[in-house]
Amino acid sequence: MTDVVFIDGLCLDAVIGVHAHERLAPQPLRLDIRMQFDTRRAAASDALSDALDYDAVARRLAEYVASTRFALVETLAERCAALILDEFGAERVQLRLAKPTALKSAAAVGVEIARARRSS
């Protein structure tokens, strides 16, 4: 299956970082997300209930990210990918988490990960 539902440039704020000044206030983050999901059922029914609801994913991630206080972007990326796999039924997730204000000399830094649903 090669169907992908994507969200590009999801802007969220989180308290994240290893330095004391990073822990004082939320910082902007940008997420680019690719979720492997079979879209044929949704296409046939034209029903949102059969689709991977990207609005619901974005709202849930915003809620989750705002509640976290991780030191590392690696941890936050891992947890966000797991949330998508566990709560929204994606088979595979590719997630890029960028922290635009981390380095003054760079547009952004961050991580890119790919995770797949575990077989039961």
Side-chain angles (χ1 to χ4, degrees), residues 2 14 38 40 56 58 67 69 93:
T2 59
D38 190 340
R40 290 176 290 191
S67 73
R69 296 184 62 87
V93 173

Side-chain angles (χ1 to χ4, degrees), residues 56-76:
V57 172
R59 285 185 283 112
R60 178 67 177 104
L61 285 173
E63 172 188 284
Y64 176 72
V65 168
S67 73
T68 65
R69 296 184 62 87
F70 297 117
L72 301 177
V73 293
E74 291 87 347
T75 306
L76 183 56

Side-chain angles (χ1 to χ4, degrees), residues 24-38:
L24 298 175
Q27 299 175 65
L29 301 174
R30 178 187 157 121
L31 282 75
D32 295 322
I33 307 161
R34 303 276 180 279
M35 300 165 283
Q36 189 173 333
F37 185 85
D38 190 340

Side-chain angles (χ1 to χ4, degrees), residues 4-11 30-35 52-59 61 84 94 96:
V4 173
V5 176
F6 67 91
I7 301 172
D8 279 341
L10 180 62
C11 296
R30 178 187 157 121
L31 282 75
D32 295 322
I33 307 161
R34 303 276 180 279
M35 300 165 283
L52 196 164
D53 184 348
Y54 51 79
D55 181 57
V57 172
R59 285 185 283 112
L61 285 173
I84 293 166
Q94 290 179 264
R96 181 177 192 261

